[in-house]
Amino acid sequence: MLLHIPEVLSRAQVAHCRALMAGAEWVDGRATAGHQSAQVKRNLQLPEGSPAARELGELVLAALERNALFITAALPQRVFPPLFNCYQGGMDFGNHVDNAIRTITGSNTRVRTDVSATLFLSDPQDYDGGELTVDDCYGAHTVKLPAGDMVIYPSTSLHRVTPVTRGARIAAFFWTQSLVRDDARRTLLFDMDLAIQRLRAQGADSEAIVSLTGSYHNLLRMWAQT
């Protein structure tokens, strides 16, 4: 499931992020790449554990906790602390698949990467190129969203970022270990949950809603891994 989640951050929050980044030190983004990804990755990144990265990461995590659409779609068990990158001057990231397991820096905590996310912090008109392109069985999907909006997609997907030829593409990125690791099952639960919400808003028969809600939770109980 590839899903656009709008307004994860407000315009004021985006402006705060950009102001904090403007005074931060950036390093070679290959520092956090796996062996295969490092061969095709050309970008800059805020150092993990830096004061700016920690403050920005906490802001993003707090926003995710308040975002009902993200919770419904990702069913998060654990979220890897957000990282922040910048593409400019022809930088790009070639075809790659995200590492299956990420270890949180400074801990023994491992996160299985079920759901990948990119939270855009630059508006599309501020740069040329820089499209996130995600491949699935239906072809290639190109994503370039307003600042504050986010896209999530299965971490098993082959994806890339096209060269930035003007301006700078700045974003947060992270991974979620889901309670339900299988994307097809997560998608089914997501569709069912949204349907229940629509029926409730339309004033549908309460007994039918209770029955459907019970089925949702029984499926989640069957598939969840805690």
Side-chain angles (χ1 to χ4, degrees), residues 25-149:
E25 177 187 0
W26 294 82
V27 298
D28 191 327
R30 288 176 293 183
T32 58
H35 175 73
Q36 182 272 330
S37 295
Q39 300 177 54
V40 294
K41 183 178 185 180
R42 295 193 304 148
N43 65 8
L44 301 174
Q45 191 167 301
L46 290 183
E48 287 187 84
S50 68
R54 286 198 302 270
E55 180 177 339
L56 293 168
E58 290 172 1
L59 186 152
V60 172
L61 289 174
L64 294 176
E65 290 177 357
R66 298 189 298 267
N67 193 286
L69 189 56
F70 169 73
I71 300 297
T72 297
L75 295 171
Q77 182 181 40
R78 185 177 292 125
V79 177
F80 191 89
L83 303 172
F84 300 87
N85 60 23
C86 173
Y87 294 81
Q88 58 188 9
M91 292 177 177
D92 64 349
F93 199 162
N95 280 331
H96 65 285
V97 175
D98 293 333
N99 290 353
I101 305 293
R102 306 281 307 198
T103 302
I104 297 177
T105 301
S107 76
N108 294 320
T109 302
R110 294 181 175 84
V111 177
R112 186 185 66 241
T113 59
D114 298 321
V115 181
S116 297
T118 297
L119 172 58
F120 290 80
L121 298 173
S122 299
D123 281 311
Q125 64 269 24
D126 293 339
Y127 61 99
D128 293 334
E131 291 86 359
L132 170 66
T133 304
V134 182
D135 293 340
D136 64 16
C137 58
Y138 298 106
H141 305 273
T142 300
V143 183
K144 191 173 183 178
L145 300 178
D149 287 16

Side-chain angles (χ1 to χ4, degrees), residues 188-203:
L188 176 61
L189 289 167
F190 175 70
D191 291 342
M192 182 179 290
D193 194 7
L194 292 188
I196 292 168
Q197 294 177 39
R198 286 195 297 269
L199 289 171
R200 186 176 293 115
Q202 294 167 7

